[in-house]
């Protein structure tokens, strides 16, 4: 059996055990594993909802940033979303072809290109944000508000802890 087939088999076995509640104790008690699993579950659920509107997860992050502040430069947009500039260019090319954004040369600095939402891109806000709210509501169903607030507080502290650690650069 090839190594990739063996890895695939282990992933299938792990997913099966996890769905039956038999995941390894190490992964159930590791904050990193659990946060990763939650992130992946959120992403899968959100992707399923926004795909119905022709939007990919990559485009979602750029739309969210532009809904917060339209007219960012490509570099600013890359930094806000946390993606490399070549990835941003590829996503923006796709979004421009779909009529979601337009690139406009900055009149004050001709080296810069600002990204603006089109009416179609702005209009997706009222369609897609409720999708994200549905995912959040589903994920937090049955969780007491105090527990949720504590979870968010603890996760924010972990972000700060990891950001303050020079070993995580």
């Amino acid at each position: 059996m090839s190594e990739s087939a063996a890895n695939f088999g282990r992933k299938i076995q792990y997913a099966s055990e996890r769905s039956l509640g038999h995941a390894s104790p190490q992964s159930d008690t590791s904050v990193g594993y659990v946060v990763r699993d939650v992130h992946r579950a959120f992403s899968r659920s959100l992707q399923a909802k926004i795909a119905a509107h022709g939007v990919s997860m990559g485009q979602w992050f750029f739309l969210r940033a532009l809904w917060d502040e339209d007219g960012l430069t490509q570099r600013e947009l890359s930094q806000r979303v946390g993606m490399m500039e070549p990835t941003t260019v590829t996503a923006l090319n796709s979004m421009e072809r779909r009529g979601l954004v337009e690139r406009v040369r900055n009149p004050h600095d001709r080296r810069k290109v600002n990204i603006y939402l089109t009416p179609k891109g702005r209009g997706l806000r009222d369609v897609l944000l409720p999708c994200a709210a549905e995912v959040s509501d589903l994920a937090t169903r049955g969780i007491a508000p105090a527990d949720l607030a504590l979870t968010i507080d603890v996760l924010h502290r972990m972000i700060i802890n990891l950001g303050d650690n020079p070993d995580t650069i």
Side-chain angles (χ1 to χ4, degrees), residues 78-113:
S78 293
Q79 291 168 343
R80 297 265 174 103
V81 174
M83 294 204 188
M84 301 298 290
E85 285 191 59
T87 304
T88 300
V89 169
T90 301
L92 290 175
N93 287 342
S94 171
M95 293 171 74
E96 192 171 35
R97 279 192 303 276
R98 293 203 45 235
L100 302 177
V101 298
E102 62 181 344
R103 290 177 166 107
V104 177
R105 180 83 42 204
N106 186 305
H108 305 293
D109 185 342
R110 304 290 296 160
R111 296 169 298 173
K112 294 180 179 180
V113 174

Side-chain angles (χ1 to χ4, degrees), residues 13-30:
Q13 178 67 31
Y14 175 74
S16 173
E17 289 173 355
R18 189 152 185 81
S19 69
L20 296 172
H22 303 297
S24 77
Q26 175 189 8
S27 62
D28 281 349
T29 59
S30 167

Side-chain angles (χ1 to χ4, degrees), residues 80-163:
R80 297 265 174 103
V81 174
M83 294 204 188
M84 301 298 290
E85 285 191 59
T87 304
T88 300
V89 169
T90 301
L92 290 175
N93 287 342
S94 171
M95 293 171 74
E96 192 171 35
R97 279 192 303 276
R98 293 203 45 235
L100 302 177
V101 298
E102 62 181 344
R103 290 177 166 107
V104 177
R105 180 83 42 204
N106 186 305
H108 305 293
D109 185 342
R110 304 290 296 160
R111 296 169 298 173
K112 294 180 179 180
V113 174
N114 295 84
I115 310 302
Y116 291 94
L117 290 164
T118 63
K120 182 178 178 181
R122 273 190 299 282
L124 281 173
R125 184 175 202 260
D126 294 336
V127 175
L128 298 181
L129 287 181
C131 292
E134 286 175 31
V135 171
S136 186
D137 289 346
L138 177 64
T140 58
R141 185 176 49 206
I143 300 173
D147 290 342
L148 189 55
L150 177 60
T151 300
I152 290 169
D153 180 59
V154 168
L155 290 171
H156 279 134
R157 284 189 271 160
M158 288 181 185
I159 291 168
I160 291 167
N161 289 347
L162 292 170

